[in-house]
Amino acid sequence: MAITLVNPSGLPEIDAYRQVSIATGSKLVFVAGQVAWDADGVTVGEGDLAAQVERCYLNIATALAEAGASFDDVAKLTVYVVDWTPAKMPLLMEGITRASAKLGAAPVPPASLLGVAALDVPEHLVEVEATAVID
């Protein structure tokens, strides 16, 4: 495996992700920000943040698979949430948990969470992008 995830001593341990990823692979995979579209470009889970987060993660898994990768190879995630407030964290985590159950993996690479004013279309509440490293 090209990625090792760690929580260094001296930094807080976060349940939702690890603070550091150490990449030893030789091939980088950059996945464009994924929104809650199905294969036909129809928005999934309109108005439902958890459903949209789940779909974003599943879409990332589909993109990674095309490159011969999986969430085990992800070095970094960036999550953009429209009108972010801490009160939305349970819905974000619910979507990640549901995606994890479907994927059979817990995506816990280092992640950044950014609140944004809007995304590409008004129905989209979240966008997630990924960087992976594979051998």
Side-chain angles (χ1 to χ4, degrees), residues 44-67:
V44 173
E46 191 169 333
D48 182 344
L49 180 60
Q52 289 198 15
V53 168
E54 176 184 4
R55 186 58 190 219
C56 289
Y57 276 71
L58 296 176
N59 287 351
I60 286 173
T62 298
L64 290 168
E66 182 69 22

PDB file of all heavy atoms in Angstrom, residues 44-67:
ATOM      1  N   VAL A  44     -28.609  13.834  -6.812  1.00  0.00           N
ATOM      2  CA  VAL A  44     -29.115  12.848  -5.853  1.00  0.00           C
ATOM      3  C   VAL A  44     -29.259  13.534  -4.497  1.00  0.00           C
ATOM      4  O   VAL A  44     -28.386  14.292  -4.092  1.00  0.00           O
ATOM      5  CB  VAL A  44     -28.124  11.665  -5.741  1.00  0.00           C
ATOM      6  CG1 VAL A  44     -28.542  10.711  -4.635  1.00  0.00           C
ATOM      7  CG2 VAL A  44     -27.997  10.952  -7.071  1.00  0.00           C
ATOM      8  N   GLY A  45     -30.353  13.299  -3.791  1.00  0.00           N
ATOM      9  CA  GLY A  45     -30.510  13.801  -2.426  1.00  0.00           C
ATOM     10  C   GLY A  45     -30.693  15.302  -2.331  1.00  0.00           C
ATOM     11  O   GLY A  45     -30.149  15.930  -1.423  1.00  0.00           O
ATOM     12  N   GLU A  46     -31.483  15.865  -3.223  1.00  0.00           N
ATOM     13  CA  GLU A  46     -31.689  17.322  -3.190  1.00  0.00           C
ATOM     14  C   GLU A  46     -32.197  17.750  -1.810  1.00  0.00           C
ATOM     15  O   GLU A  46     -33.158  17.198  -1.288  1.00  0.00           O
ATOM     16  CB  GLU A  46     -32.681  17.741  -4.275  1.00  0.00           C
ATOM     17  CG  GLU A  46     -32.742  19.232  -4.460  1.00  0.00           C
ATOM     18  CD  GLU A  46     -33.515  19.650  -5.699  1.00  0.00           C
ATOM     19  OE1 GLU A  46     -33.581  18.863  -6.665  1.00  0.00           O
ATOM     20  OE2 GLU A  46     -34.053  20.767  -5.685  1.00  0.00           O
ATOM     21  N   GLY A  47     -31.507  18.708  -1.190  1.00  0.00           N
ATOM     22  CA  GLY A  47     -31.879  19.214   0.127  1.00  0.00           C
ATOM     23  C   GLY A  47     -31.419  18.345   1.284  1.00  0.00           C
ATOM     24  O   GLY A  47     -31.682  18.677   2.436  1.00  0.00           O
ATOM     25  N   ASP A  48     -30.726  17.237   1.027  1.00  0.00           N
ATOM     26  CA  ASP A  48     -30.321  16.272   2.051  1.00  0.00           C
ATOM     27  C   ASP A  48     -28.791  16.189   2.081  1.00  0.00           C
ATOM     28  O   ASP A  48     -28.192  15.491   1.257  1.00  0.00           O
ATOM     29  CB  ASP A  48     -30.943  14.916   1.742  1.00  0.00           C
ATOM     30  CG  ASP A  48     -30.640  13.843   2.775  1.00  0.00           C
ATOM     31  OD1 ASP A  48     -29.704  14.011   3.591  1.00  0.00           O
ATOM     32  OD2 ASP A  48     -31.342  12.812   2.754  1.00  0.00           O
ATOM     33  N   LEU A  49     -28.175  16.894   3.015  1.00  0.00           N
ATOM     34  CA  LEU A  49     -26.716  16.947   3.077  1.00  0.00           C
ATOM     35  C   LEU A  49     -26.101  15.565   3.240  1.00  0.00           C
ATOM     36  O   LEU A  49     -25.135  15.224   2.550  1.00  0.00           O
ATOM     37  CB  LEU A  49     -26.248  17.879   4.202  1.00  0.00           C
ATOM     38  CG  LEU A  49     -24.730  18.004   4.368  1.00  0.00           C
ATOM     39  CD1 LEU A  49     -24.068  18.552   3.113  1.00  0.00           C
ATOM     40  CD2 LEU A  49     -24.399  18.876   5.577  1.00  0.00           C
ATOM     41  N   ALA A  50     -26.644  14.732   4.121  1.00  0.00           N
ATOM     42  CA  ALA A  50     -26.078  13.397   4.344  1.00  0.00           C
ATOM     43  C   ALA A  50     -26.107  12.572   3.059  1.00  0.00           C
ATOM     44  O   ALA A  50     -25.125  11.912   2.709  1.00  0.00           O
ATOM     45  CB  ALA A  50     -26.809  12.680   5.473  1.00  0.00           C
ATOM     46  N   ALA A  51     -27.226  12.597   2.340  1.00  0.00           N
ATOM     47  CA  ALA A  51     -27.343  11.842   1.085  1.00  0.00           C
ATOM     48  C   ALA A  51     -26.358  12.346   0.048  1.00  0.00           C
ATOM     49  O   ALA A  51     -25.762  11.565  -0.701  1.00  0.00           O
ATOM     50  CB  ALA A  51     -28.767  11.920   0.555  1.00  0.00           C
ATOM     51  N   GLN A  52     -26.156  13.653   0.007  1.00  0.00           N
ATOM     52  CA  GLN A  52     -25.226  14.211  -0.966  1.00  0.00           C
ATOM     53  C   GLN A  52     -23.774  13.893  -0.618  1.00  0.00           C
ATOM     54  O   GLN A  52     -22.970  13.590  -1.499  1.00  0.00           O
ATOM     55  CB  GLN A  52     -25.441  15.721  -1.122  1.00  0.00           C
ATOM     56  CG  GLN A  52     -26.735  16.030  -1.838  1.00  0.00           C
ATOM     57  CD  GLN A  52     -26.782  17.437  -2.399  1.00  0.00           C
ATOM     58  OE1 GLN A  52     -25.784  18.123  -2.516  1.00  0.00           O
ATOM     59  NE2 GLN A  52     -27.982  17.869  -2.760  1.00  0.00           N
ATOM     60  N   VAL A  53     -23.440  13.922   0.652  1.00  0.00           N
ATOM     61  CA  VAL A  53     -22.086  13.545   1.074  1.00  0.00           C
ATOM     62  C   VAL A  53     -21.837  12.086   0.683  1.00  0.00           C
ATOM     63  O   VAL A  53     -20.788  11.759   0.107  1.00  0.00           O
ATOM     64  CB  VAL A  53     -21.894  13.747   2.594  1.00  0.00           C
ATOM     65  CG1 VAL A  53     -20.604  13.091   3.081  1.00  0.00           C
ATOM     66  CG2 VAL A  53     -21.908  15.227   2.933  1.00  0.00           C
ATOM     67  N   GLU A  54     -22.793  11.229   0.989  1.00  0.00           N
ATOM     68  CA  GLU A  54     -22.656   9.815   0.633  1.00  0.00           C
ATOM     69  C   GLU A  54     -22.390   9.666  -0.866  1.00  0.00           C
ATOM     70  O   GLU A  54     -21.483   8.952  -1.278  1.00  0.00           O
ATOM     71  CB  GLU A  54     -23.928   9.062   1.026  1.00  0.00           C
ATOM     72  CG  GLU A  54     -23.929   7.611   0.616  1.00  0.00           C
ATOM     73  CD  GLU A  54     -25.248   6.915   0.937  1.00  0.00           C
ATOM     74  OE1 GLU A  54     -26.198   7.565   1.414  1.00  0.00           O
ATOM     75  OE2 GLU A  54     -25.313   5.697   0.687  1.00  0.00           O
ATOM     76  N   ARG A  55     -23.177  10.343  -1.690  1.00  0.00           N
ATOM     77  CA  ARG A  55     -23.021  10.234  -3.144  1.00  0.00           C
ATOM     78  C   ARG A  55     -21.659  10.760  -3.597  1.00  0.00           C
ATOM     79  O   ARG A  55     -21.014  10.171  -4.471  1.00  0.00           O
ATOM     80  CB  ARG A  55     -24.150  10.963  -3.862  1.00  0.00           C
ATOM     81  CG  ARG A  55     -24.120  10.769  -5.351  1.00  0.00           C
ATOM     82  CD  ARG A  55     -24.200   9.276  -5.676  1.00  0.00           C
ATOM     83  NE  ARG A  55     -23.953   9.018  -7.056  1.00  0.00           N
ATOM     84  CZ  ARG A  55     -24.619   8.114  -7.761  1.00  0.00           C
ATOM     85  NH1 ARG A  55     -25.565   7.395  -7.188  1.00  0.00           N
ATOM     86  NH2 ARG A  55     -24.338   7.919  -9.018  1.00  0.00           N
ATOM     87  N   CYS A  56     -21.196  11.854  -3.006  1.00  0.00           N
ATOM     88  CA  CYS A  56     -19.875  12.393  -3.363  1.00  0.00           C
ATOM     89  C   CYS A  56     -18.789  11.354  -3.117  1.00  0.00           C
ATOM     90  O   CYS A  56     -17.915  11.137  -3.969  1.00  0.00           O
ATOM     91  CB  CYS A  56     -19.572  13.653  -2.562  1.00  0.00           C
ATOM     92  SG  CYS A  56     -20.545  15.092  -3.016  1.00  0.00           S
ATOM     93  N   TYR A  57     -18.827  10.707  -1.970  1.00  0.00           N
ATOM     94  CA  TYR A  57     -17.820   9.693  -1.639  1.00  0.00           C
ATOM     95  C   TYR A  57     -17.918   8.496  -2.581  1.00  0.00           C
ATOM     96  O   TYR A  57     -16.900   7.949  -3.011  1.00  0.00           O
ATOM     97  CB  TYR A  57     -17.940   9.266  -0.179  1.00  0.00           C
ATOM     98  CG  TYR A  57     -17.212  10.190   0.775  1.00  0.00           C
ATOM     99  CD1 TYR A  57     -17.667  11.471   1.032  1.00  0.00           C
ATOM    100  CD2 TYR A  57     -16.046   9.780   1.407  1.00  0.00           C
ATOM    101  CE1 TYR A  57     -16.992  12.317   1.896  1.00  0.00           C
ATOM    102  CE2 TYR A  57     -15.365  10.616   2.276  1.00  0.00           C
ATOM    103  CZ  TYR A  57     -15.842  11.893   2.512  1.00  0.00           C
ATOM    104  OH  TYR A  57     -15.166  12.732   3.367  1.00  0.00           O
ATOM    105  N   LEU A  58     -19.133   8.082  -2.912  1.00  0.00           N
ATOM    106  CA  LEU A  58     -19.300   6.977  -3.856  1.00  0.00           C
ATOM    107  C   LEU A  58     -18.782   7.358  -5.238  1.00  0.00           C
ATOM    108  O   LEU A  58     -18.175   6.533  -5.932  1.00  0.00           O
ATOM    109  CB  LEU A  58     -20.764   6.536  -3.906  1.00  0.00           C
ATOM    110  CG  LEU A  58     -21.319   5.954  -2.602  1.00  0.00           C
ATOM    111  CD1 LEU A  58     -22.814   5.645  -2.749  1.00  0.00           C
ATOM    112  CD2 LEU A  58     -20.551   4.729  -2.155  1.00  0.00           C
ATOM    113  N   ASN A  59     -19.009   8.608  -5.644  1.00  0.00           N
ATOM    114  CA  ASN A  59     -18.492   9.066  -6.930  1.00  0.00           C
ATOM    115  C   ASN A  59     -16.966   9.094  -6.930  1.00  0.00           C
ATOM    116  O   ASN A  59     -16.332   8.751  -7.930  1.00  0.00           O
ATOM    117  CB  ASN A  59     -19.049  10.448  -7.282  1.00  0.00           C
ATOM    118  CG  ASN A  59     -20.515  10.395  -7.690  1.00  0.00           C
ATOM    119  OD1 ASN A  59     -21.095   9.332  -7.878  1.00  0.00           O
ATOM    120  ND2 ASN A  59     -21.122  11.553  -7.805  1.00  0.00           N
ATOM    121  N   ILE A  60     -16.373   9.489  -5.814  1.00  0.00           N
ATOM    122  CA  ILE A  60     -14.906   9.463  -5.715  1.00  0.00           C
ATOM    123  C   ILE A  60     -14.411   8.026  -5.854  1.00  0.00           C
ATOM    124  O   ILE A  60     -13.443   7.759  -6.568  1.00  0.00           O
ATOM    125  CB  ILE A  60     -14.420  10.102  -4.403  1.00  0.00           C
ATOM    126  CG1 ILE A  60     -14.575  11.617  -4.491  1.00  0.00           C
ATOM    127  CG2 ILE A  60     -12.971   9.732  -4.107  1.00  0.00           C
ATOM    128  CD1 ILE A  60     -14.293  12.347  -3.221  1.00  0.00           C
ATOM    129  N   ALA A  61     -15.082   7.090  -5.195  1.00  0.00           N
ATOM    130  CA  ALA A  61     -14.688   5.680  -5.295  1.00  0.00           C
ATOM    131  C   ALA A  61     -14.751   5.203  -6.739  1.00  0.00           C
ATOM    132  O   ALA A  61     -13.863   4.470  -7.202  1.00  0.00           O
ATOM    133  CB  ALA A  61     -15.576   4.819  -4.403  1.00  0.00           C
ATOM    134  N   THR A  62     -15.764   5.619  -7.487  1.00  0.00           N
ATOM    135  CA  THR A  62     -15.886   5.249  -8.895  1.00  0.00           C
ATOM    136  C   THR A  62     -14.719   5.821  -9.698  1.00  0.00           C
ATOM    137  O   THR A  62     -14.114   5.121 -10.512  1.00  0.00           O
ATOM    138  CB  THR A  62     -17.224   5.756  -9.466  1.00  0.00           C
ATOM    139  OG1 THR A  62     -18.291   5.131  -8.754  1.00  0.00           O
ATOM    140  CG2 THR A  62     -17.348   5.455 -10.950  1.00  0.00           C
ATOM    141  N   ALA A  63     -14.393   7.077  -9.457  1.00  0.00           N
ATOM    142  CA  ALA A  63     -13.280   7.715 -10.168  1.00  0.00           C
ATOM    143  C   ALA A  63     -11.953   7.048  -9.814  1.00  0.00           C
ATOM    144  O   ALA A  63     -11.120   6.794 -10.693  1.00  0.00           O
ATOM    145  CB  ALA A  63     -13.233   9.205  -9.837  1.00  0.00           C
ATOM    146  N   LEU A  64     -11.762   6.742  -8.540  1.00  0.00           N
ATOM    147  CA  LEU A  64     -10.524   6.074  -8.116  1.00  0.00           C
ATOM    148  C   LEU A  64     -10.386   4.704  -8.766  1.00  0.00           C
ATOM    149  O   LEU A  64      -9.295   4.322  -9.209  1.00  0.00           O
ATOM    150  CB  LEU A  64     -10.493   5.939  -6.586  1.00  0.00           C
ATOM    151  CG  LEU A  64     -10.309   7.215  -5.786  1.00  0.00           C
ATOM    152  CD1 LEU A  64     -10.585   6.955  -4.312  1.00  0.00           C
ATOM    153  CD2 LEU A  64      -8.922   7.796  -5.987  1.00  0.00           C
ATOM    154  N   ALA A  65     -11.479   3.968  -8.827  1.00  0.00           N
ATOM    155  CA  ALA A  65     -11.442   2.629  -9.419  1.00  0.00           C
ATOM    156  C   ALA A  65     -10.986   2.687 -10.875  1.00  0.00           C
ATOM    157  O   ALA A  65     -10.247   1.807 -11.335  1.00  0.00           O
ATOM    158  CB  ALA A  65     -12.814   1.963  -9.311  1.00  0.00           C
ATOM    159  N   GLU A  66     -11.394   3.711 -11.587  1.00  0.00           N
ATOM    160  CA  GLU A  66     -10.973   3.872 -12.982  1.00  0.00           C
ATOM    161  C   GLU A  66      -9.455   3.988 -13.101  1.00  0.00           C
ATOM    162  O   GLU A  66      -8.863   3.574 -14.082  1.00  0.00           O
ATOM    163  CB  GLU A  66     -11.659   5.095 -13.599  1.00  0.00           C
ATOM    164  CG  GLU A  66     -11.332   5.324 -15.053  1.00  0.00           C
ATOM    165  CD  GLU A  66     -11.911   4.261 -15.989  1.00  0.00           C
ATOM    166  OE1 GLU A  66     -12.891   3.586 -15.617  1.00  0.00           O
ATOM    167  OE2 GLU A  66     -11.371   4.109 -17.103  1.00  0.00           O
ATOM    168  N   ALA A  67      -8.841   4.547 -12.067  1.00  0.00           N
ATOM    169  CA  ALA A  67      -7.380   4.715 -12.047  1.00  0.00           C
ATOM    170  C   ALA A  67      -6.673   3.537 -11.390  1.00  0.00           C
ATOM    171  O   ALA A  67      -5.458   3.570 -11.197  1.00  0.00           O
ATOM    172  CB  ALA A  67      -7.023   6.013 -11.312  1.00  0.00           C
TER     173      ALA A  67
END
